[in-house]
Amino acid sequence: MTELLQQVLDGLSTGLVYGMLALALSVIFQGTGMLNFSQGEMATLSAYVTLVLTQSGVGFWVALPLTVVLSAGGGALIERVLVRRLEGAGELPLLTLSVALLLGLNALMSIIWSTDPRTFPSPFGKGLIEFAGLHMTVQQAGSLITLLAVMAATALLFNRTSVGLRLRAVAQNPASATLLGQHQGLWLMVGWAVAAAVGAFAAVVAAPVLTLSPGMMTFPLLLALAAGTLGGLSSRVGAVAGGVLIGIADNLASRYVPGLGRDLAIVAPFALTALVVMLRPAGLFGRTRTVRV
């Protein structure tokens, strides 16, 4: 029983990273209907910025908020300069732009920092915490607390502030929100900024474990897409819950399913996602939109 709980705990740590990326995808998807495939590369760039700042002598806990602010500004700039120009052009041009951003950012990071993996220093230390027969590293514990705090702050933003109310209004019914005096373009830009900031936190927390490289978040992004599909991209809670379920399923499959191992365990999360989508196409927490005629 203790071993099973340990596997669940380890899966929770990685699952929250997937959940954070899925949350960032969900914020943009709800506002624009666009799946931002460059979200992982945007997050990785944030991790590189944090590394550069810390190597320049800036303390980590100063560098992190600076990076988040810069990332939010970058997300807003991408929406204002690139995405908005394709407004009303359809889904294919937006998808093409998303893939182009993925490739472009990956190439940019490779040119500046090369493709060699870099060690990202852990801001939490290297100790080990043991309790009730379970154990986790200080890095895992710190990451867990940080991610939970960011998710709580995001929930407060969307549910307890006027900014969040406006973001939700524009995302759910752009036409009605515009008639009520809300500037749709402004709030979509803010949505991109929030998504970029959330992605930055996910990458910085994951970097000490994954090692930093231009493609560091490419594979986690695939799992985040599965997480969003599983939980429902139309639900922020569903996106996070889907990430946690994906992380736990991946960890349990690698440990208990014969013949899979670490490399093939990826089959389990996607199989779970496919099963759920066949039963609930909108995901566990998602809702199917109904249109009144």
Side-chain angles (χ1 to χ4, degrees):
M1 186 63 180
T2 301
E3 183 185 355
L4 176 62
L5 291 175
Q6 182 64 56
Q7 295 299 323
V8 171
L9 183 62
D10 291 341
L12 176 65
S13 300
T14 55
L16 281 175
V17 173
Y18 306 147
M20 288 280 282
L21 277 178
L23 176 61
L25 292 171
S26 174
V27 169
I28 293 177
F29 180 78
Q30 288 183 50
T32 65
M34 171 185 177
L35 277 176
N36 181 19
F37 290 101
S38 66
Q39 191 73 58
E41 265 60 27
M42 290 169 61
T44 303
L45 181 59
S46 300
Y48 272 111
V49 171
T50 304
L51 181 63
V52 169
L53 289 173
T54 54
Q55 289 177 340
S56 301
V58 181
F60 177 83
W61 297 109
V62 177
L64 178 58
L66 282 175
T67 300
V68 170
V69 171
L70 290 172
S71 300
L77 186 65
I78 288 173
E79 193 284 330
R80 182 65 184 86
V81 175
L82 299 176
V83 177
R84 196 172 302 185
R85 293 181 181 276
L86 296 178
E87 185 177 356
E91 296 178 358
L92 185 58
L94 287 172
L95 176 63
T96 304
L97 172 63
S98 177
V99 174
L101 280 171
L102 184 157
L103 297 174
L105 290 174
N106 192 288
L108 178 65
M109 289 184 287
S110 299
I111 292 170
I112 297 174
W113 291 288
S114 81
T115 57
D116 298 332
R118 294 170 180 252
T119 301
F120 194 97
S122 170
F124 304 107
K126 297 182 178 180
L128 192 68
I129 301 173
E130 297 185 15
F131 55 96
L134 304 176
H135 65 270
M136 68 188 317
T137 64
V138 175
Q139 168 63 31
Q140 286 178 314
S143 299
L144 192 63
I145 293 171
T146 302
L147 293 176
L148 289 173
V150 173
M151 289 177 184
T154 305
L156 287 174
L157 171 67
F158 277 98
N159 298 319
R160 294 288 185 269
T161 68
S162 60
V163 172
L165 177 62
R166 288 170 170 81
L167 284 170
R168 286 189 290 127
V170 169
Q172 292 172 8
N173 197 327
S176 296
T178 301
L179 290 174
L180 292 173
Q182 299 304 318
H183 193 296
Q184 181 181 351
L186 171 64
W187 294 112
L188 289 179
M189 185 171 66
V190 172
W192 271 78
V194 171
V198 171
F201 273 108
V204 171
V205 164
V209 178
L210 299 177
T211 68
L212 184 58
S213 68
M216 178 184 73
M217 299 300 282
T218 302
F219 181 68
L221 180 69
L222 291 175
L223 289 173
L225 286 168
T229 305
L230 174 62
L233 277 172
S234 61
S235 167
R236 292 181 300 277
V237 174
V240 175
V244 172
L245 289 173
I246 289 289
I248 292 174
D250 182 42
N251 221 51
L252 291 178
S254 66
R255 179 68 181 86
Y256 294 110
V257 178
L260 284 186
R262 183 69 267 170
D263 293 336
L264 296 178
I266 185 66
V267 173
F270 282 100
L272 175 62
T273 301
L275 177 62
V276 169
V277 169
M278 285 191 291
L279 299 174
R280 284 185 58 86
L284 292 173
F285 294 83
R287 294 182 179 181
T288 303
R289 288 187 178 184
T290 56
V291 179
R292 293 183 179 180
V293 179

